[in-house]
Amino acid sequence: MRIDVVSIFPDYLKVLDLSLIGRAAGHGTLDLHVHDLRDHAHDRHRTVDDTPLGGGAGMVMKPDVWGEALDDVLAVDAPTAGRQVLIVPTPSGEVFTQRTAEDLADADALVFACGRYEGIDARVPEHYASRGIEVRELSIGDYVLNGGEVAAIVMIEAIARLLPGVLGNPESLVEESHGAAGLLEYPVHTRPTRWRGLEVDPVLLSGDHARIARTRRDQAIARTVRRRPDMAASLDPTRLDREDRATLASLGWAVPTGAAHPVPVRIRTATTCDAEALADLAARTFPDACEQVIAPESIARHIATNLVPDLFRAWAEDDRVDLIVAELLAPQPVQEAPGGAEPEGTPTGPDLVGYAAVLREEPDAAGEPPTGIDPRPACVRARHGQVVGELSKVYVDSTMRGSGLTPALMSAVTRQATDHGTSLLWLGTHVTNKRAQKAYKRAGFRQAGTRTYNVGGQDAHDVVMIRRTGEGQ
């Protein structure tokens, strides 16, 4: 690649002779040339600027001087083979990103026009664009510099390091910040493993390359969410695997079915104010568990009898119940109703898209267990003094399947139940619900037996699964 830079301070660009860029230029990987704009100013003072037309502060760089300089550098009338790009660094340009660098690294020749003062006469880039030259006006950030040289250096370094042969180890490009994955790079460490009281993650010393890769990926996702939520909101769902989505969901971002990008969610403890929305969510999601094998009228009776606002209100008030919800924070479009009526679909409460509940067997002062807790199956055997909890509900809206919310909800409710003293969890899920069984196995549950469960007057056959807290986390 050939790179030309035109500036009134050519010595400013000598920094490019250093390090990898200078080495690449010395080896011929990069053909770098710096030109003095004043060589094309022909008056006694080598003037390159004049006062702005229409008035205003500062000085504007003259189009005739720039035109002569760029005519010498650019192949305007006889374009060379390949792609040639004129780059004008300016704070009013489009933002230069890693994607921009990747695009420009495919060019054959780049010409940087480094302006000063109030900038270059706007007719200069307009003229060359009209002559068939690809012109890019680019900004390296939302701030103003004294001139375009610093910005040109930044862009040249970002572009040149992508060229074959510039970096000693091309694999350095794979996992760095702002790469194709759209994530910031994970934290990096070296020896000593303990320094000033700080230790590295033991996983890095395990030799288990799969675990190391997963840990680093999770760290990269967490760092991106924390430092650059704008990047998290722009992630490509097609590049996210199941573990990525679960990590994202636990950090407040989920990928709805068919969505182009993640959306913000909040996983939190439910309150009594959520009771109506929870009942509505339960009515939508409960049929997913058994609608193929339980008669619709039995499902309807179960929902009308058991999954009602009063149940969720009681759970939210009960210290023996850990009730967690996932709330969608992105605004949802509504349909405007005719005649000024209340728009259909206008939200009247939190937009809940998932929930999970653990009910501990501890009796209250009257000796009663929590409302809605199921009898513990005989196959669930607890040791003396062990606090047992039923993982009664883990449901997400159909629009959020595969979003990562299910494992995130299970992790959140299990962690809270553990903090509240629960040491053994059990659950029942219909024998035909293989999707749920796989999800529970991934969360560390294992089959302990079966049970018969009544759904609206009809018997259902469940697989019973158990997990001791601290396992699978």
Side-chain angles (χ1 to χ4, degrees):
M1 172 185 279
R2 175 177 174 120
I3 296 179
D4 291 270
V5 186
V6 183
S7 166
I8 60 171
F9 296 120
D11 286 349
Y12 213 120
L13 283 300
K14 285 185 176 179
V15 67
L16 292 174
D17 293 337
L18 305 175
S19 190
L20 295 176
I21 305 301
R23 188 184 308 167
H27 291 165
T29 306
L30 200 62
D31 189 11
L32 180 63
H33 302 267
V34 180
H35 311 271
D36 190 343
L37 176 67
R38 293 190 188 276
D39 290 344
H40 301 276
H42 303 297
D43 65 314
R44 185 173 52 153
H45 300 290
R46 304 177 78 198
T47 305
V48 297
D49 60 322
D50 204 343
T51 55
L53 297 178
M59 303 292 281
V60 177
M61 301 194 87
K62 296 165 63 67
D64 50 342
V65 178
W66 270 106
E68 184 175 313
L70 293 176
D71 283 350
D72 272 4
V73 176
L74 290 165
V76 178
D77 296 317
T80 58
R83 181 184 173 199
Q84 182 178 224
V85 186
L86 170 61
I87 299 171
V88 182
T90 168
S92 60
E94 63 176 295
V95 176
F96 179 86
T97 68
Q98 188 68 17
R99 303 290 85 74
T100 316
E102 291 167 358
D103 173 56
L104 293 174
D106 286 333
D108 297 283
L110 304 176
V111 176
F112 288 84
C114 298
R116 282 263 156 178
Y117 318 124
E118 294 302 307
I120 300 171
D121 188 302
R123 290 170 293 180
V124 173
E126 181 182 349
H127 165 77
Y128 288 101
S130 71
R131 299 291 296 274
I133 298 294
E134 182 181 346
V135 178
R136 301 287 295 274
E137 296 186 64
L138 299 173
S139 167
I140 61 169
D142 295 338
Y143 45 85
V144 179
L145 302 170
N146 287 331
E149 288 79 11
V150 170
I153 291 169
V154 168
M155 288 187 266
I156 291 170
E157 181 149 321
I159 295 164
R161 65 190 302 276
L162 300 176
L163 301 176
V166 173
L167 290 187
N169 181 5
E171 291 186 6
S172 300
L173 299 172
V174 175
E175 292 183 326
E176 63 186 5
S177 295
H178 306 287
L183 298 170
L184 299 180
E185 190 174 11
Y186 51 79
V188 294
H189 304 89
T190 187
R191 287 173 288 276
T193 59
R194 181 180 175 84
W195 177 77
R196 296 187 179 181
L198 301 173
E199 297 189 20
V200 300
D201 191 325
V203 171
L204 300 178
L205 310 176
S206 68
D208 187 332
H209 297 296
R211 284 183 65 208
I212 291 171
R214 184 68 254 168
T215 297
R216 285 175 166 172
R217 178 78 171 180
D218 289 343
Q219 290 173 339
I221 292 171
R223 175 178 275 189
T224 303
V225 168
R226 184 173 65 252
R227 298 183 179 180
R228 292 293 302 274
D230 58 312
M231 290 176 61
S234 300
L235 288 172
D236 181 355
T238 64
R239 292 180 175 271
L240 302 173
D241 63 22
R242 184 179 62 239
E243 287 80 7
D244 292 340
R245 291 174 182 236
T247 300
L248 267 176
S250 70
L251 296 168
W253 292 88
V255 185
T257 303
H261 300 291
V263 297
V265 295
R266 178 167 57 207
I267 295 177
R268 58 174 175 82
T269 300
T271 70
T272 55
C273 297
D274 297 315
E276 298 287 343
L278 273 167
D280 179 67
L281 176 62
R284 298 198 311 269
T285 57
F286 179 77
D288 293 343
C290 53
E291 64 180 346
Q292 303 301 320
V293 290
I294 301 295
E297 58 271 18
S298 295
I299 292 176
R301 276 195 298 270
H302 180 84
I303 291 171
T305 304
N306 296 286
L307 304 179
V308 294
D310 283 347
L311 171 75
F312 294 108
R313 197 172 290 112
W315 282 1
E317 292 175 337
D318 196 327
D319 291 338
R320 299 164 299 170
V321 177
D322 297 296
L323 181 58
I324 302 292
V325 296
E327 180 181 2
L328 192 63
L329 300 182
Q332 298 299 295
V334 297
Q335 298 293 326
E336 184 174 348
E342 184 74 10
E344 183 180 348
T346 300
T348 56
D351 192 357
L352 303 186
V353 290
Y355 73 111
V358 168
L359 289 70
R360 287 186 295 282
E361 292 181 357
E362 300 169 330
D364 62 10
E368 296 295 327
T371 302
I373 192 169
D374 296 320
R376 190 206 307 175
C379 59
V380 179
R381 291 181 286 273
R383 296 192 297 267
H384 178 71
Q386 198 168 35
V387 178
V388 179
E390 177 192 2
L391 182 57
S392 176
K393 302 285 185 289
V394 182
Y395 288 117
V396 298
D397 192 87
S398 60
T399 61
M400 305 301 289
R401 288 179 185 166
S403 67
L405 269 183
T406 298
L409 280 166
M410 276 198 286
S411 177
V413 78
T414 302
R415 187 165 53 247
Q416 190 174 101
T418 303
D419 291 343
H420 291 160
T422 307
S423 50
L424 178 65
L425 291 171
W426 71 272
L427 62 88
T429 185
H430 199 274
V431 292
T432 63
N433 195 345
K434 302 300 183 183
R435 177 171 52 86
Q437 291 168 39
K438 287 180 180 179
Y440 291 130
K441 284 181 180 178
R442 286 194 294 267
F445 284 86
R446 60 183 181 274
Q447 185 172 344
T450 60
R451 71 164 180 174
T452 300
Y453 181 68
N454 188 272
V455 177
Q458 181 177 343
D459 283 344
H461 302 289
D462 282 357
V463 169
V464 176
M465 306 179 77
I466 63 170
R467 196 192 98 180
R468 302 187 192 285
T469 56
E471 297 176 351
Q473 298 189 69

